[in-house]
Amino acid sequence: MPDRAEHLATGDEARWTAVAASYERWAEPLTSHFARAALSLAGNVERGERVLDVAAGTGALALAAAEAGARVLATDFSPGMVARLRDRLQPFPGSEARVMDGQALAVEDATFDASFSIFGVMLFPDWRRGLAELVRATRPGGRVIMATWVNPEGAGPAPLFLQAHRRAFPGAAIPPLAPGMRVLCSPEGLKAEMVRAGCGEVAVHAVDGAWGGPSVDLVMGDIDQILRLMPLYAALDSDGRARLSGPLRAAIEACAEPGGAVRVPATANVAIGRR
């Protein structure tokens, strides 16, 4: 869900660690949908196969692969995310989580049967290096799988927040989009970059999903936890957050269905290539 280059460019592992629990609650229901779609589109994984998950977060892809019998190495730069992942991977012998920089993976060449990045590499400051590392870690003939948002502003609450911010603070500067998001949001750009990194037989699929909650009030009640990972939100003082509240509620209400549940559509590119 996060959408801005500062999230990784600042190296603020503490910010990600602090929101691990809320990320699991509010982001993982969305990301796990796309993670399972990526596994299916990649032909699933066989029992005993070695799978790499880069920028794994709280483990949407890693857990699905481990449940299928793969031996998973899940990596993330946030110690808090990795600590949560270690707990969740305990029932799966042969799978583990490690703190690691996805732009300089501490793994040997050609080690994994399938290497995934679900909404991770696209946010790296040096995203081309991250993609190259994903390919390097994959054995010849193995699969390289990337998921990116079609909307360069991200997914879930991120576009709603930016919409509300523009309304609440007209003319205020908004940080530029993450460079990788600008390139990888298009199927053509994603395919071209995977080929450039050393992949062949690249196919890109559009996958639809949705983010939301049971009601507008529930989403608004947790909105600080949901948005606190975003530096633009974190930079607001109490008066600024109060000023944002009305436009943000209006944006969320516009996504409420007749029964009251909030549903924000999201589309991802899922690309599968061969090493």
Side-chain angles (χ1 to χ4, degrees):
M1 295 193 316
D3 65 316
R4 298 285 161 179
E6 305 99 301
H7 292 155
L8 291 175
T10 58
D12 191 2
E13 296 94 339
R15 190 193 302 271
W16 286 80
T17 293
V19 301
S22 59
Y23 186 92
E24 183 177 334
R25 178 181 180 188
W26 284 105
E28 195 170 301
L30 175 65
T31 59
S32 64
H33 167 77
F34 293 103
R36 292 181 182 277
L39 277 170
S40 177
L41 289 167
N44 294 311
V45 295
E46 302 292 334
R47 183 166 297 277
E49 279 193 316
R50 296 204 66 187
V51 168
L52 174 66
D53 184 10
V54 172
T58 51
L61 185 284
L63 288 166
E67 288 167 0
R71 295 177 294 144
V72 180
L73 171 60
T75 73
D76 201 280
F77 86 138
S78 163
M81 295 288 190
V82 169
R84 179 59 182 143
L85 256 170
R86 284 176 179 150
D87 288 343
R88 300 178 83 188
L89 286 172
Q90 280 186 358
F92 305 102
S95 292
E96 61 177 323
R98 296 185 209 162
V99 176
M100 204 176 293
D101 179 359
Q103 299 162 126
L105 294 169
V107 300
E108 295 182 1
D109 295 354
T111 301
F112 297 91
D113 299 293
S115 298
F116 291 80
S117 175
I118 307 299
F119 312 120
V121 164
M122 66 181 191
L123 291 173
F124 289 0
D126 190 348
W127 57 271
R128 284 195 171 97
R129 181 60 185 166
L131 178 53
E133 283 290 273
L134 202 66
V135 175
R136 178 186 67 79
T138 310
R139 66 166 176 80
R143 292 154 290 172
V144 178
I145 302 94
M146 287 268 290
T148 66
W149 298 122
V150 167
N151 184 345
E153 292 190 336
L160 300 185
F161 164 70
L162 291 171
Q163 173 187 330
H165 191 281
R166 292 183 181 107
R167 183 170 298 176
F169 308 101
I174 292 180
L177 295 171
M181 290 283 284
R182 291 199 303 268
V183 176
L184 301 176
C185 65
S186 76
E188 298 79 11
L190 179 55
K191 181 175 181 177
E193 291 298 334
M194 289 189 67
V195 170
R196 175 178 175 174
C199 293
E201 304 176 32
V202 178
V204 181
H205 307 266
V207 179
D208 294 325
W211 175 88
S215 70
V216 172
D217 286 341
L218 183 58
V219 173
M220 287 299 297
D222 273 2
I223 201 67
D224 184 70
Q225 290 293 317
I226 295 168
L227 296 179
R228 64 161 51 187
L229 189 58
M230 302 180 68
L232 189 60
Y233 176 81
L236 296 174
D237 59 18
S238 58
D239 289 342
R241 294 184 187 187
R243 184 174 170 182
L244 179 73
S245 180
L248 189 54
R249 174 176 277 274
I252 292 169
E253 285 177 344
C255 298
E257 298 183 319
V262 175
R263 185 179 185 277
V264 184
T267 303
N269 298 311
V270 177
I272 297 99
R274 289 281 177 184
R275 171 75 163 85

